[in-house]
Amino acid sequence: MREQVKVIKLNGNLNATTSQEFRQNITEILLTGAKIVLVDFQDVTFMDSSGLGALVLAFKTLRAADTKLVLCSINEQVRILFELTNMDKVFEIFPSQEAFNQVLVSKT
């Protein structure tokens, strides 16, 4: 099961400037046939609406390919953005990569 999980570790800002690179990563991961994409926000310091839009687009693109997108380690600023836009109801968010791995192991 582990080989079907791809992890994207973001850092710095997820905004209009960096969201294009994020979308490109998603496209490349689609080609690998991964079943789950985990986006690790541990080193992300800021995300704006462009970054959120890129995440939503990635979510829709991956779902169309029967691939699940999950998030982990979001900071307070990102959490507030998710809550204000109700995106915390759309995305499955884990407190850490370890917490995600524990849930994944328990399902196998």
Side-chain angles (χ1 to χ4, degrees), residues 19-107:
S19 61
Q20 182 61 41
E21 182 182 339
F22 172 72
R23 286 195 297 268
Q24 194 170 351
N25 283 345
I26 293 295
T27 303
E28 290 168 7
I29 285 173
L30 270 176
L31 300 175
T32 69
K35 286 293 163 204
I36 301 173
V37 176
L38 174 65
V39 182
D40 189 335
F41 274 80
Q42 185 172 349
D43 299 324
V44 172
T45 52
F46 175 79
M47 183 172 81
D48 65 7
S49 59
S50 298
L52 186 60
L55 269 180
V56 170
L57 185 63
F59 179 82
K60 289 179 176 179
T61 302
L62 290 168
R63 187 174 60 187
D66 201 28
T67 301
K68 188 174 182 180
L69 178 69
V70 294
L71 313 177
C72 74
S73 307
I74 64 174
N75 68 25
E76 192 63 22
Q77 184 269 330
V78 174
R79 181 176 303 284
I80 290 170
L81 180 60
F82 276 110
E83 289 171 357
L84 287 173
T85 57
N86 280 329
M87 286 295 130
D88 59 325
K89 310 280 189 289
V90 174
F91 291 101
E92 190 171 357
I93 303 171
F94 291 89
S96 65
Q97 202 167 329
E98 293 77 28
F100 166 78
N101 288 333
Q102 287 175 349
V103 169
L104 188 66
V105 167
S106 71
K107 289 181 178 177

